[in-house]
Amino acid sequence: MTGPRFLRAGVAAGAAVLLAGCSFLHSLPFVGGAEKPKPAELQANPNLLAVRQAWTGKIGKVDFPLVVAVNGNVAAAASSDGTVVGIDAATGREQWRGNAGAPLAAGVGFDGGTAAVITRNNELVAFASGKEVWRQKLPALSYTAPLVAGARVFVLGGDRSVSAFDGGTGRRLWAQQRQGEPLVLRQAGVILAVGDTLVVGQGGRLAGLNPLNGSVRWEAPIATARGINDIERLVDLVGRVSRVGDSVCARAFQAAVGCVDASRGTVAWTQRANGSEGVHGDAANVFGTETDGKVISWRRTDGQRAWTNDKMLHRGLGTPLALGRSVVVGDGFGFVHMLSREDGTLLQRLATDGSAIGAAPVAAGNTLVVVTHDGNIYGFVPQ
């Protein structure tokens, strides 16, 4: 679980200004002169859910903010060296494989036909069945997987600018620039489609854009800047989000979790929360992990806490996935924990290769797909 980094919004690509806390700091032996917190010991595995490992695969090491994209039964994943693969989640067989020709900064966007990634050379590269079809140079850094939707590819820059490209040719259709924040996160942001609106995270706000020209339809604040210096005033939304119909819930980095009605652009609720990973949920609840390792469930209707699990403190938890009757969350030691949606108690624990879980787990068909930092892919099937 690589911790986020801050960049000056206006500096040249790759010029890091400082490294910030979360899982990165937890990997250091000493923080602020004190020994790092000791990870909580694992509870005995109750084995209350029957889950079998159906298959494994290999793509190469993952040290960038990977998003595993799912369309139908195909999961698209990528490795740091530029490899991009499409995998049949039922069997684990590769459907296609390609390479961007350079290390990756973000990916994967995938609509079932076109897959898109962004290289560390600031190039947007599109594939069809693993074959490169076009690439475009981007004006800004990006750490967010492109969104492939409606025969277009949308890119959220590290400076939270937004660009649209023709999915077939790569022709730039429009670009929306905005006043950059003093600091931005080297971490995946928020971009998704809700009906005929493109919803993006810009600073501490969700913004609804017209996908045809980038004009702003509405803005809804999840969190506002506070403090007296750039670091304290940093406010940025981080992926993934939880969408149920028009309800879109997101996390503002180490500040808040909140839900917005995307049909009207109005805030339903916000709650203070200290985490750096995205959220997921269902019609009843929104689930997230805090920096210290707590897992929290908020009621989707009003944001009140439904339950808290504090049995996995300081284990480097990532972004959760609501799956069946469980909440699935990976940790920094290669374990996948399946908690009860009802009360957060442990139902099952799955082991991988011992390296940190490298991307938020996803569901493809009946298969839970997990990728580790060492580049191993696992397909688990609940019985």
Side-chain angles (χ1 to χ4, degrees):
M1 298 297 177
T2 304
R5 300 180 178 184
F6 297 150
L7 288 184
R8 292 284 176 188
V11 299
V17 176
L18 69 102
L19 299 173
C22 303
S23 304
F24 175 83
L25 288 187
H26 292 162
S27 70
L28 300 178
F30 293 93
V31 179
E35 188 173 354
K36 67 176 182 178
K38 183 179 179 180
E41 293 186 7
L42 293 175
Q43 300 173 259
N45 189 357
N47 288 306
L48 296 176
L49 283 180
V51 181
R52 67 180 177 88
Q53 181 180 307
W55 51 263
T56 62
K58 182 77 173 179
I59 56 170
K61 289 188 178 295
V62 176
D63 63 1
F64 71 101
L66 170 65
V67 171
V68 180
V70 174
N71 188 281
N73 211 47
V74 177
S79 59
S80 298
D81 65 3
T83 300
V84 186
V85 298
I87 298 171
D88 183 330
T91 64
R93 295 194 185 103
E94 284 189 13
Q95 300 296 293
W96 47 263
R97 176 179 283 248
N99 196 289
L104 297 186
V108 180
F110 181 56
D111 68 351
T114 299
V117 296
I118 297 171
T119 73
R120 295 180 190 177
N121 297 330
N122 289 9
E123 289 186 315
L124 171 64
V125 187
F127 301 87
S129 300
K131 296 181 179 179
E132 182 181 325
V133 290
W134 54 264
R135 67 174 59 209
Q136 278 281 5
K137 189 71 174 180
L138 299 174
L141 295 158
S142 178
Y143 301 97
T144 303
L147 172 66
V148 184
R152 297 186 176 194
V153 179
F154 300 95
V155 173
L156 179 69
D159 59 358
R160 299 320 184 220
S161 61
V162 186
S163 303
F165 301 84
D166 183 279
T169 67
R171 180 172 63 92
R172 189 187 304 272
L173 301 175
W174 55 261
Q176 185 234 61
Q177 298 299 129
R178 65 184 298 273
Q179 183 65 38
E181 306 294 335
L183 291 177
V184 295
L185 288 170
R186 287 187 62 180
Q187 185 169 339
V190 172
I191 183 167
L192 72 155
V194 181
D196 66 349
T197 299
L198 178 67
V199 178
V200 300
Q202 296 186 320
R205 302 178 299 279
L206 279 176
L209 309 183
N210 182 337
L212 299 180
N213 57 25
S215 62
V216 178
R217 291 175 171 169
W218 52 259
E219 291 186 334
I222 300 294
T224 55
R226 304 184 182 192
I228 60 174
N229 58 48
D230 288 348
I231 297 174
E232 292 176 346
R233 292 180 58 80
L234 172 72
V235 181
D236 206 3
L237 301 188
V238 297
R240 70 173 38 149
V241 301
S242 173
R243 179 199 169 193
V244 176
D246 291 326
S247 172
V248 178
C249 304
R251 180 187 294 278
F253 175 76
Q254 293 186 346
V257 168
C259 291
V260 168
D261 182 339
S263 66
R264 298 181 295 173
T266 56
V267 177
W269 56 265
T270 63
Q271 292 285 353
R272 293 285 296 171
N274 185 25
S276 62
E277 302 285 341
V279 297
H280 204 238
D282 54 25
N285 297 290
V286 179
F287 309 106
T289 61
E290 300 291 273
T291 299
D292 63 3
K294 292 186 181 73
V295 185
I296 298 177
S297 171
W298 296 271
R299 292 202 304 249
R300 194 174 202 102
T301 53
D302 57 13
Q304 296 303 304
R305 287 197 186 190
W307 52 258
T308 299
N309 179 311
D310 61 0
K311 305 299 184 183
M312 296 177 288
L313 298 181
H314 313 301
R315 295 193 61 84
L317 301 184
T319 302
L321 168 72
L323 177 67
R325 64 187 183 99
S326 68
V327 179
V328 182
V329 61
D331 71 16
F333 301 89
F335 290 102
V336 179
H337 309 267
M338 304 182 76
L339 312 179
S340 166
R341 283 203 205 190
E342 298 301 318
D343 59 14
T345 56
L346 181 66
L347 299 176
Q348 178 62 275
R349 183 185 305 113
L350 310 171
T352 61
D353 59 16
S355 70
I357 303 304
V362 298
N366 295 322
T367 305
L368 169 65
V369 180
V370 176
V371 180
T372 70
H373 270 296
D374 278 354
N376 292 302
I377 309 176
Y378 295 81
F380 296 102
V381 178
Q383 301 298 291

